[in-house]
Amino acid sequence: MTSSPIRLAISGASGRMGQALLSLLHADGRYELAHAVVSPGSVHDGEPVWLGQGLRYAHDWSRAPVLDVVVDFSGPVGLAAALDHCLAHGIPLVSGTTGLDAALLARLDTAGARIALLRAANFSLGVALLTRLLREAAAAVPEWDLEIVEAHHGRKQDAPSGTALALGQAAAAARGTTLEAAAVYSREGRTGERIPGSIGFAVVRGGDIVGEHQALLVGPGERLELGHRATDRTIFARGALQAARWLIGRASGHWRLEDVLAPPV
């Protein structure tokens, strides 16, 4: 006996991640795309999501059917609307939307008391595992120097990447401090000796690099290197779908992508 497909909605369906999700869903019988929201005037506005299903992109949630989970890769406005719908109907929400203001972050914090939420800056399962390993390593050798190096394509607008910052936050917390207190983002000229306990960041930009992150833990006479290299953007959509499937049926609260992985032995 086979289980029914998961009825899934995508918020931000016309964006790069939204389109990647649609491509995966089209070939995966475990899911049924039940609703797809885009901003009015977006590039795919008014088009069928894919031929044969008859579903068209929507501008809002007013005609959304019964759903099992919502996946959001839109923007602050789109996320706020998706959150309203999820709260009204008790639907789990997976979101990779960034650039949120304090008010929306506060709403998300409060929403965790009512629905299951999973938010991440990077939906690579490999990066989730890297985060777990770095947290353990940073705590195991708290006196070792820690540097985080990241590389992305030349079109990326921000630096360091959100993933690099998330890695730094995980390591800082493991050492009983905060990234705000420990981070060093630039070095130029006569900087003096390295500050003990600091977390340094270095950035590379160029070409079509999808994303690379490396954490260096440097001790006397030895060095530990933990890293992840992405070669295909599809991994982020695949991780988001796996997170959505995992989140269904979970208790209300804030979950991490690390939780989706098998628990450590």
Side-chain angles (χ1 to χ4, degrees):
M1 180 177 179
T2 59
S3 59
S4 300
I6 291 171
R7 292 176 59 79
L8 181 143
I10 297 176
S11 170
S14 63
R16 185 168 61 186
M17 277 296 298
Q19 291 295 295
L21 286 165
L22 290 177
S23 295
L24 291 178
L25 286 172
H26 197 183
D28 194 332
R30 296 176 300 172
Y31 303 92
E32 176 189 343
L33 178 63
H35 200 62
V37 179
V38 300
S39 299
S42 63
V43 65
H44 296 287
D45 193 0
E47 296 179 1
V49 174
W50 55 65
L51 295 176
Q53 187 166 344
L55 179 66
R56 291 188 176 274
Y57 292 102
H59 294 156
D60 57 38
W61 296 89
S62 60
R63 296 186 178 181
V66 175
L67 299 169
D68 295 314
V69 65
V70 171
V71 178
D72 166 78
F73 283 93
S74 57
V77 174
L79 172 56
L83 179 62
D84 287 340
H85 184 76
C86 290
L87 286 171
H89 299 277
I91 303 170
L93 174 62
V94 172
S95 179
T97 296
T98 58
L100 311 182
D101 61 21
L104 185 49
L105 287 172
R107 284 197 62 207
L108 288 165
D109 285 342
T110 303
R114 297 171 55 188
I115 61 172
L117 279 164
L118 192 155
R119 295 177 56 237
N122 186 316
F123 273 89
S124 158
L125 296 177
V127 168
L129 181 56
L130 172 62
T131 304
R132 177 190 289 178
L133 296 173
L134 177 57
R135 182 181 291 111
E136 182 178 347
V141 285
E143 71 283 1
W144 286 21
D145 296 332
L146 173 57
E147 298 284 306
I148 296 174
V149 183
E150 59 99 340
H152 284 86
H153 55 83
R155 302 178 306 282
K156 188 169 177 60
Q157 300 294 312
D158 59 316
S161 69
T163 300
L165 294 174
L167 288 169
Q169 289 167 349
R175 290 181 167 182
T177 184
T178 65
L179 194 58
E180 290 75 16
V184 174
Y185 295 112
S186 63
R187 297 187 177 104
E188 183 179 6
R190 296 183 60 84
T191 61
E193 294 185 1
R194 191 182 195 282
I195 301 172
S198 61
I199 299 175
F201 288 84
V203 173
V204 176
R205 293 287 179 268
D208 59 355
I209 301 171
V210 174
E212 299 178 7
H213 295 86
Q214 185 178 37
L216 307 175
L217 291 127
V218 187
E222 57 183 327
R223 178 173 69 196
L224 175 65
E225 299 183 11
L226 301 172
H228 176 268
R229 179 177 297 172
T231 57
D232 182 353
R233 296 185 188 282
T234 305
I235 64 172
F236 307 119
R238 190 178 299 116
L241 286 183
Q242 187 164 335
R245 188 176 187 87
W246 181 89
L247 194 62
I248 295 171
R250 301 291 169 182
S252 300
H254 293 275
W255 300 89
R256 304 174 304 178
L257 190 59
E258 286 181 62
D259 298 323
V260 179
L261 300 172
V265 177

